Amino acid sequence: MKPYRVLLSFLFLLCFIASSGQIKYEPKDKEILEHILNQLNNKKSKTTTELAVLAGKYLLGTPYLAHTLETEPEQLVVNLRELDCTTYIENCLAIARIVKEGKLSFERFAEELTHIRYRDSKINGYPSRLHYFSDWIYVNDKKELVKRVSKEIANIPFPLELNFMSSHSDSYQALKNNPEFIPILGQQE
């Protein structure tokens, strides 16, 4: 393919993504992803767990930044330049899964990240994101993306009562701006 056609295709894709309002990223994020995918390209025979660990090694040293996913309206945020604990795990898992399936593209990565990060594998407003890590594990276990092992390890029930987001809605900009989300989150909690 001629270089100008590649450039035009890339620009078209950027315009499409930007206009869809469903994804937010910077060119450096795509560059980081492509570097990791190039490093893992010949390791498809490894397990998903092994691939996630390898992806994690490439992301070691990435600066920590809280609230990286907070956008209005809700959209997929791809930020490989700055991570928090959950986005670190999500990105490693998404990378491992696309390497394992052999579909190494930014677009496929974004699809997989959406599948992992959102309750029904689609963005449907702020409440559709898995905000609590305990919920993240529960939902992604149901999707067979991760395995809950707490029962196997300790088998000690721990009643989990979640209500922080709904009872501290003033701590979340999206909830301050959209109070109609509070009862939805309360029900999820």
Side-chain angles (χ1 to χ4, degrees), residues 167-189:
S167 62
H168 296 85
S169 58
D170 58 326
S171 299
Y172 301 90
Q173 193 64 44
L175 297 179
K176 283 195 266 187
N177 295 344
N178 303 282
E180 68 274 12
F181 293 159
I182 298 169
I184 297 168
L185 285 169
Q187 185 178 13
Q188 291 170 354
E189 291 169 338

Side-chain angles (χ1 to χ4, degrees), residues 57-144:
K57 287 180 180 180
Y58 288 109
L59 292 171
L60 279 179
T62 302
Y64 177 89
L65 183 68
H67 310 292
T68 58
L69 304 181
E70 301 308 310
T71 62
E72 285 193 59
E74 183 72 22
Q75 58 188 327
L76 181 68
V77 174
V78 175
N79 183 351
L80 296 170
R81 297 161 286 106
E82 305 153 317
L83 302 166
D84 63 29
C85 302
T86 304
T87 59
Y88 179 76
I89 292 168
E90 289 174 338
N91 285 299
C92 292
L93 180 58
I95 290 168
R97 288 179 51 82
I98 68 170
V99 168
K100 191 71 180 162
E101 71 181 8
K103 296 180 180 176
L104 308 179
S105 71
F106 183 81
E107 295 75 18
R108 180 64 192 108
F109 172 74
E111 290 171 1
E112 191 61 34
L113 198 54
T114 301
H115 180 54
I116 293 166
R117 188 175 288 163
Y118 290 91
R119 187 168 306 284
D120 294 318
S121 303
K122 59 184 170 212
I123 301 167
N124 188 18
Y126 186 76
S128 66
R129 186 171 7 122
L130 298 165
H131 294 280
Y132 292 101
F133 196 63
S134 56
D135 198 24
W136 187 96
I137 293 169
Y138 177 80
V139 170
N140 282 308
D141 178 66
K142 294 270 189 223
K143 293 178 187 177
E144 298 182 352

